Every structure is written in C-alpha cells, then in structure tokens.
Amino acid sequence: MSLHLLSDLLDSHDATQAAVLNFRTRYEIALSTGDELDVRRVEAAAAVYELRNPGVRVLDELDAIQAA
C-alpha cells in the first residue's frame, strides 16, 4: 500500500470520527434543551450522512444516547 493511499485512508477515518462526534454533540445539546425540532434535524442529517458514507453507523450512536 502506498504512503499516499494510507495517508488518505487515515484522513478519511479522522473526518468520519469528527463528523460522528459533531452529530453526537449536536444531538446531546438538542436533547438537553428539549428542542424536538433540532433533534429531528440532527437525526435527518445523520441519516443523510449514513447514506452517503456506507458503513458509518451514526444513527445507532444517536439511539444509544437517547436510550441512556
């Protein structure tokens, strides 16, 4: 595997982790403030992100937050 390919793979992983953290943070804030509209917005955005990035399970993360 070339160094550039490995670097791109790590960059992609870091970007995915940052996106998941962003969704989690926004979701926790929306839940804590009771903003039901924002909760739905975050869920919708997470669903779109999952569709565009197969294998990423953001909605499962959000379900775990809500269940806790």
Side-chain angles (χ1 to χ4, degrees):
M1 184 179 292
S2 75
L3 187 56
H4 292 290
L5 183 59
L6 184 58
S7 176
D8 289 346
L9 184 61
L10 290 173
D11 289 345
S12 175
H13 177 72
D14 290 345
T16 299
Q17 293 300 328
V20 170
L21 181 60
N22 181 33
F23 284 120
R24 289 182 59 127
T25 302
R26 289 176 51 202
Y27 198 67
E28 289 173 351
I29 291 169
L31 287 174
S32 69
T33 60
D35 187 347
E36 197 64 31
L37 181 59
D38 202 31
V39 167
R40 299 295 170 233
R41 282 185 186 135
V42 174
E43 290 172 345
V48 169
Y49 188 83
E50 279 190 6
L51 287 173
R52 291 183 178 166
N53 299 279
V56 178
R57 304 298 310 157
V58 180
L59 292 175
D60 290 344
E61 296 263 348
L62 301 184
D63 287 342
I65 292 169
Q66 192 170 31

